[in-house]
Amino acid sequence: MVGIVSAALAVTPSLQYPLATRADLLLARRWAMAKFGGKVETGIRLPGLYVHANNDPVQKNSRAGRPMNIAGKQYRRGLYCHATSRIVVELPGPGSRFEAVCGIDSNEQTSGGRGSVDFAVRVGDHVAFRSPLMREGMAGRPVRVDLGGATQFVLEISDGGDGIACDQADWADASVTLADGSTLWLADLPLFGPEPPAVDSAAPFSFVYGNEQSKNLLLHWTVSRAMRTAEDGRVHYTVIYDEPTGPLRVRCEAVLYADFPTVEWTLFLSNRGNEKTPIVADVKSLDIEYGVGQGPAVLHYFTGSPCTPTDYEPHQTRLDAGSDVAIATSGGRPTNSNLPYFNIEWNGGGLIAVLGWPGQWSARFRGGDGGSVHVSGGQELTHFTLLPGEEVRTPRVVLQFWHSDRATAQNVWRRWMRMHNSPHPAGKPVGPQFAACSSHQFGEMIHANDANQKLFVDRYLEEGLKLDYWWMDAGWYVNNGNWPNTGTWEVDRKRFPGGLRSITDHTHAKGVRSIVWFEPERVNSGTWLYDTHPEWLLTAGDGDRLLDLGNDEARRWWTDHADRLITEEGIDLYRTDFNIDPLAFWRAADAPDRQGITEIRYVTGFLTYLDELLRRHPNLVMDTCASGGRRNDIETLRRAVPLLRSDYILEPVAQQLHTYGIAQWIPFFGTGVNSSDPYVFWSQACPHITGCWDVRRKDLDYPTIRTLIQQWRTVAPLMLGDFYPLTPYDIGTAGWMAWQYNRPEDGKGMIMAFRRPNSAYEVARYPLFRLEPKATYRLRDVSGKDLGTHAATELMDKGLRVEIPENPGVAVVLYERLAARR
């Protein structure tokens, strides 16, 4: 057996759940106040590390990606500094004591006793600790300083009096015990320069108006600002810019969240005059310059869902000075080719930037001189005049600030998504679901009828496979025997004489809810919409038409029709699909001086129709589908959940890759399950799963399927917790892939590890993330087998040993916190 160790995201696991979030909350407040409140807040000392002077940048936890090493002893937590350095530590609360191990870092540059430094800790005007002169090879010196309630202290490293050559030093295992008894690792605090990043009051958006740049125009426009704090603590800003002698009004509606370091805004442009406006062009909902300090930033971005094995693949690129990276979607569906979710990382921090637009977006990232990044994005094409009384909106922008590590930042984002940007039907977030369908057996629903739908539901239940939902897919409507013929949205009474209501009544009586598929936007020839209301349809040459949701009459008709079907047919979960690229239709409908308007009207209408259905049906759950996962932007996901993340086949390696990518951004998602092989089943397992078995067959391995579903129900709630990749992204078949779900509030979590079919390794070891440092954890596999008790420090430092003898094979390991060690 061979042991292997892999690290996720090039981040060493840290022991402390992110106390540094408070610093990010303050930074978000400063940023929002400057941009939307018109006031630059000064004098606010954010909790963090303020580097006033040092020869090389401070590094957290490692040197050049390797653990810190003092005289042969390795440390995974702390600060690596080069003399001379002075770090002012600002705490989030009164401190009780500071502890660390200080010494020269042993590496190829300091080996042989080179380097000479001394360490000091100052609390106020008092030198609370000073080391003797230390050289490479000398054992680390313990540091223990009584902070006496101080919220600030200083770490100093001098050059020992002989220059700075080879003076590479470590504050290893550097931690503070706060007065409330909690432990804070210094490496979890944000890293600043002498002061936090400066924030100016320039608008975080831009446009061109009459061939002039908005950054120049707005300086001379009338500005009014309003601010209110809601009961939930969110701060709502309204900023209005009025053209002094013209008709254009620009209104920005922004929200600062109280419980997350997150700011969002949407821009509205309107014509208050009696004549059309000059051309408004190149509208960028997001246009900011952000200082990142020393070292180049790295842009992390992800593939969308174009139906490939590598849907949701992560990518990264350096934003060196002069770099220019452009990313966009294609065809008008927002997650068709790329996701509009971005994380810009730099030394000690980062910024998440996300565009919310169920249309054609583009984004641009440029590295500037002096340690800055320019970020811009919005609707890809805007070049229009506004008619009298007309108002248009732009993509929603969400920013999240972070100063910890990228893995933690992604999980703060997941938590924000789950709490604030996911549907809450009946006031609760959507939880794990097990559905089933007969799409694979009856050509979607083309060959389905009342009898075989009820038969499938009954057979699932007879085999002890309790369903949450029965899924009726494409083709239940009048379609001339072909499901793509959409546009006549009436139940086919030849196959379903009692309507779908006969089936939903049957399922409801057995405690099973219903999912029904719709695709209202694509209209095929020979259907009711195509023949009866051509004025409601957008065209782009021969072929399908597009129901224009920007047409108020068309949208109202469809909303009323869908509302009637939901009510009359007893539909519990409304699934809206979108199997056509709309961009060509939108652009074909635009006049030269109205480019982008059809898209804006369509997107606004699409969101309005979803909102109206939810208003009429407050308990309704909605699913978003667009040939799989091609419409998973935050605006759509504020209203719907993605039950099918990709249309790619249910092949296990591809399914592992899909989870690895999408889970970093979207906490709730689904796919199909179709196997009794544990390796295949767990590769497919998501918070939502849809059974695709042909339950007419009596020879399936139902005992194993029952066991797998029961095990999934046990662990599925953990999948909505924090997500940490434990291996690099790997498309091959010779390695392992693994990740960790963690719920620190409950002290529970899970590791899922997959040994690929051509892997020669039977054992892997994975350091875990964010366990409680002083706790012990009991481990068991998903079958309930006891795997013993382990200290958190062992699981995070040495790692969890996972053995998978089968090839391919899977291990699902659960852990639960037992008690804190005093």
Side-chain angles (χ1 to χ4, degrees), residues 568-700:
E568 293 181 356
E569 305 301 336
I571 297 169
D572 302 296
L573 196 156
Y574 175 90
R575 173 173 168 79
T576 182
D577 206 342
F578 193 29
N579 292 298
I580 188 172
D581 279 339
L583 186 60
F585 295 88
W586 295 336
R587 293 189 174 173
D590 285 338
D593 66 345
R594 297 279 285 171
Q595 295 176 67
I597 289 293
T598 302
E599 178 181 345
I600 294 170
R601 293 293 178 215
Y602 191 100
V603 166
T604 304
F606 167 70
L607 298 175
T608 299
Y609 119 75
L610 294 184
D611 287 339
E612 180 59 17
L613 284 183
L614 291 171
R615 187 191 68 80
R616 299 183 190 185
H617 303 273
N619 296 334
L620 183 70
V621 181
M622 284 189 175
D623 162 46
T624 172
C625 183
S627 304
R630 305 189 195 204
R631 190 149 66 180
N632 286 341
D633 64 289
I634 57 171
E635 281 283 27
T636 305
L637 294 184
R638 194 163 281 195
R639 298 156 173 86
V641 292
L643 301 189
L644 186 62
R645 61 189 177 186
S646 173
D647 265 354
Y648 192 73
I649 60 173
L650 299 177
E651 186 274 322
V653 170
Q655 293 297 310
Q656 296 165 24
L657 298 175
H658 293 176
T659 295
Y660 189 103
I662 191 174
Q664 297 188 48
W665 290 107
I666 300 171
F668 187 94
F669 53 87
T671 193
V673 291
N674 64 352
S675 178
S676 58
D677 181 331
Y679 174 76
V680 177
F681 176 88
W682 289 110
S683 296
Q684 300 165 345
C686 297
H688 171 100
I689 54 174
T690 298
C692 302
W693 292 283
D694 187 348
V695 291
R696 295 172 298 183
R697 294 177 54 181
K698 300 294 183 71
D699 60 343
L700 298 181

Side-chain angles (χ1 to χ4, degrees), residues 511-534:
V512 179
R513 289 163 287 177
S514 63
I515 299 173
V516 176
W517 179 98
F518 293 84
E519 191 190 356
E521 295 157 271
R522 184 174 56 84
V523 180
N524 199 259
S525 61
T527 62
W528 184 86
L529 275 171
Y530 191 97
D531 295 336
T532 308
H533 284 287

Side-chain angles (χ1 to χ4, degrees), residues 208-220:
V208 176
Y209 182 53
N211 294 320
E212 291 192 58
Q213 295 287 337
S214 62
K215 67 179 180 180
N216 299 322
L217 291 172
L218 295 182
L219 295 174
H220 308 287

Side-chain angles (χ1 to χ4, degrees), residues 352-620:
I352 286 175
V354 175
L355 296 174
W357 186 247
Q360 184 71 18
W361 58 267
S362 64
R364 190 175 180 186
F365 305 85
R366 288 175 287 174
D369 295 329
S372 67
V373 171
H374 184 250
V375 184
S376 62
Q379 184 180 346
E380 185 177 70
L381 176 62
T382 48
H383 182 91
F384 52 76
T385 182
L386 289 175
L387 306 179
E390 184 176 28
E391 180 176 81
V392 296
R393 64 156 289 180
T394 71
R396 187 182 302 274
V397 178
V398 180
L399 296 185
Q400 181 178 287
F401 302 85
W402 62 271
H403 290 90
S404 49
D405 56 70
R406 188 164 64 88
T408 298
Q410 294 293 159
N411 282 310
V412 174
W413 173 265
R414 276 174 58 94
R415 286 170 174 248
W416 178 82
M417 283 285 286
R418 183 85 174 133
M419 186 175 298
H420 296 300
N421 202 82
S422 296
H424 282 59
K428 298 180 180 179
V430 179
Q433 305 169 347
F434 172 42
C437 68
S438 60
S439 303
H440 294 76
Q441 289 76 44
F442 297 114
E444 306 292 348
M445 291 276 284
I446 295 173
H447 307 298
N449 57 41
D450 186 89
N452 59 39
Q453 293 301 285
K454 293 176 181 176
L455 169 67
F456 261 68
V457 173
D458 292 346
R459 281 290 299 132
Y460 267 94
L461 299 180
E462 287 170 8
E463 293 296 346
L465 301 172
K466 177 66 174 73
L467 298 176
D468 297 311
Y469 287 94
W470 176 248
W471 182 320
M472 287 177 276
D473 218 324
W476 52 265
Y477 39 83
V478 177
N479 57 46
N480 299 322
N482 187 357
W483 80 260
N485 288 342
T486 51
T488 303
W489 293 103
E490 298 296 342
V491 180
D492 186 343
R493 298 284 170 168
K494 294 179 181 179
R495 293 180 290 136
F496 306 101
L500 300 182
R501 188 66 188 231
S502 174
I503 301 166
T504 60
D505 282 349
H506 182 80
T507 64
H508 290 160
K510 298 174 181 292
V512 179
R513 289 163 287 177
S514 63
I515 299 173
V516 176
W517 179 98
F518 293 84
E519 191 190 356
E521 295 157 271
R522 184 174 56 84
V523 180
N524 199 259
S525 61
T527 62
W528 184 86
L529 275 171
Y530 191 97
D531 295 336
T532 308
H533 284 287
E535 75 279 10
W536 289 354
L537 308 181
L538 297 173
T539 63
D542 297 331
D544 292 344
R545 301 288 189 263
L546 195 66
L547 180 64
D548 184 7
L549 295 178
N551 179 311
D552 291 343
E553 186 180 13
R555 186 190 69 254
R556 284 194 294 266
W557 172 83
W558 171 250
T559 304
D560 291 342
H561 192 73
D563 174 37
R564 178 177 65 81
L565 288 168
I566 290 168
T567 301
E568 293 181 356
E569 305 301 336
I571 297 169
D572 302 296
L573 196 156
Y574 175 90
R575 173 173 168 79
T576 182
D577 206 342
F578 193 29
N579 292 298
I580 188 172
D581 279 339
L583 186 60
F585 295 88
W586 295 336
R587 293 189 174 173
D590 285 338
D593 66 345
R594 297 279 285 171
Q595 295 176 67
I597 289 293
T598 302
E599 178 181 345
I600 294 170
R601 293 293 178 215
Y602 191 100
V603 166
T604 304
F606 167 70
L607 298 175
T608 299
Y609 119 75
L610 294 184
D611 287 339
E612 180 59 17
L613 284 183
L614 291 171
R615 187 191 68 80
R616 299 183 190 185
H617 303 273
N619 296 334
L620 183 70

Side-chain angles (χ1 to χ4, degrees), residues 734-788:
W736 286 47
M737 180 163 275
W739 51 75
Q740 173 192 359
Y741 290 105
N742 188 39
R743 292 174 61 98
E745 306 93 322
D746 304 329
K748 296 180 180 180
M750 169 176 64
I751 296 88
M752 299 178 70
F754 302 91
R755 181 186 176 191
R756 299 271 179 80
N758 295 317
S759 172
Y761 303 111
E762 293 186 1
V763 176
R765 190 175 290 277
Y766 299 112
L768 302 188
F769 283 78
R770 303 292 179 184
L771 304 182
E772 186 175 319
K774 297 180 180 180
T776 56
Y777 289 79
R778 181 170 297 282
L779 276 62
R780 61 181 175 87
D781 69 17
V782 74
S783 70
K785 179 182 177 182
D786 185 18
L787 300 178

Side-chain angles (χ1 to χ4, degrees), residues 32-262:
M33 179 58 75
K35 296 295 184 181
F36 306 117
K39 178 183 177 182
V40 179
E41 291 189 327
T42 59
I44 295 179
R45 299 291 290 181
L46 308 181
L49 308 176
Y50 291 78
V51 182
H52 284 252
N54 65 289
N55 186 53
D56 284 343
V58 169
Q59 298 181 40
K60 297 181 178 182
N61 297 327
S62 66
R63 175 190 175 273
R66 297 190 298 272
M68 292 175 290
N69 184 331
I70 301 177
K73 184 174 182 179
Q74 292 190 347
Y75 299 86
R76 294 186 176 274
R77 299 175 300 276
L79 305 175
Y80 166 86
C81 313
H82 197 297
T84 58
S85 74
R86 183 173 181 270
I87 301 171
V88 178
V89 181
E90 293 281 349
L91 299 175
S96 175
R97 66 180 180 276
F98 166 68
E99 295 177 276
V101 176
C102 64
I104 289 281
D105 190 87
S106 297
N107 57 63
E108 66 280 0
Q109 297 180 19
T110 63
S111 63
R114 289 180 288 182
S116 58
V117 304
D118 55 33
F119 297 83
V121 180
R122 294 180 181 272
V123 182
D125 296 330
H126 172 60
V127 178
F129 169 85
R130 185 179 297 280
S131 75
L133 186 69
M134 303 193 69
R135 296 185 181 276
E136 191 276 334
M138 296 174 61
R141 189 171 187 86
V143 182
R144 184 182 176 94
V145 172
D146 183 359
L147 297 177
T151 58
Q152 181 190 92
F153 63 97
V154 181
L155 304 178
E156 295 179 340
I157 302 176
S158 75
D159 64 5
D162 58 357
I164 63 171
C166 303
D167 287 353
Q168 301 174 25
D170 299 326
W171 295 99
D173 278 356
S175 68
V176 170
T177 301
L178 297 175
D180 63 7
S182 61
T183 300
L184 171 66
W185 297 95
L186 263 57
D188 284 339
L189 285 170
L191 184 65
F192 298 116
E195 295 294 336
V199 183
D200 59 44
S201 59
F205 54 82
S206 68
F207 55 90
V208 176
Y209 182 53
N211 294 320
E212 291 192 58
Q213 295 287 337
S214 62
K215 67 179 180 180
N216 299 322
L217 291 172
L218 295 182
L219 295 174
H220 308 287
W221 287 20
T222 303
V223 183
S224 62
R225 304 177 189 271
M227 181 181 73
R228 67 177 178 86
T229 302
E231 291 183 0
D232 60 8
R234 298 185 205 181
V235 181
H236 294 255
Y237 298 91
T238 299
V239 187
I240 297 175
Y241 300 85
D242 283 324
E243 186 182 4
T245 59
L248 187 63
R249 166 171 285 182
V250 178
R251 187 177 88 255
C252 183
E253 299 285 351
V255 177
L256 168 66
Y257 286 82
D259 49 352
F260 285 86
T262 307

